[in-house]
Amino acid sequence: QVQLVESGGGLVQPGGSLRLSCAGSGSIFGIYTMGWSRQAPGKQRELVAAINSGGSTNYADSVKGRFAVSLDNAKTTVYLQMNSLKPEDTAVYYCYLHVARYNWGQGIQVTVSS
């Protein structure tokens, strides 16, 4: 029911930065979680970062200190600021919103390469 649209991906050099956005439709009332997962070629999908409407965050160990997730509650939009990018960050990044169930975006490519 909830439509999620990701933007901000693309090609970046190692050490560079990208900012992903995921815009949901309308507003969510009550407690909810939004976040990001990623899947690299030949690899299992992994959770990257999540934030709930109360402001609590969680990060995968591989991105701690480099990525930051934030939430605009009024816009139901989650952001992922990615700094100090490494080639191993190359993946398709998927946004999700969880209330009673998971809602997923279609994914957006992030490629880190020189």
Side-chain angles (χ1 to χ4, degrees), residues 13-18 65-67 81-87 89 112:
Q13 294 183 349
S17 298
L18 284 174
R66 299 189 299 118
F67 290 12
Q81 180 66 46
M82 303 183 293
N83 300 320
S84 301
L85 282 161
K86 304 174 180 179
D89 295 317
V112 184

Side-chain angles (χ1 to χ4, degrees), residues 44-56:
Q44 190 173 20
R45 186 179 297 191
E46 64 175 345
L47 295 174
V48 176
I51 183 169
N52 70 17
S53 51
S56 297

Side-chain angles (χ1 to χ4, degrees), residues 3-34:
Q3 294 289 108
L4 299 172
V5 180
E6 300 109 328
S7 62
L11 175 65
V12 66
Q13 294 183 349
S17 298
L18 284 174
R19 184 177 177 88
L20 303 183
S21 299
C22 175
S25 59
S27 298
I28 304 296
F29 299 96
I31 303 299
Y32 65 95
T33 300
M34 297 189 74

Side-chain angles (χ1 to χ4, degrees), residues 2 16 20 26 32 36 49 59 72 94 102 107 110:
V2 177
L20 303 183
Y32 65 95
W36 299 87
Y59 296 94
D72 185 333
Y94 299 88
Y102 282 95
V110 171

Side-chain angles (χ1 to χ4, degrees), residues 45-113:
R45 186 179 297 191
E46 64 175 345
L47 295 174
V48 176
I51 183 169
N52 70 17
S53 51
S56 297
T57 59
N58 284 293
Y59 296 94
D61 288 343
S62 59
V63 306
K64 286 181 179 178
R66 299 189 299 118
F67 290 12
V69 64
S70 59
L71 176 66
D72 185 333
N73 196 11
K75 298 180 180 179
T76 317
T77 299
V78 66
Y79 305 91
L80 186 65
Q81 180 66 46
M82 303 183 293
N83 300 320
S84 301
L85 282 161
K86 304 174 180 179
E88 53 262 44
D89 295 317
T90 296
V92 176
Y93 285 70
Y94 299 88
C95 171
Y96 73 86
L97 181 153
H98 178 262
V99 186
R101 60 182 61 84
Y102 282 95
N103 303 273
W104 294 93
Q106 290 187 331
I108 189 166
Q109 179 70 47
V110 171
T111 302
V112 184
S113 176

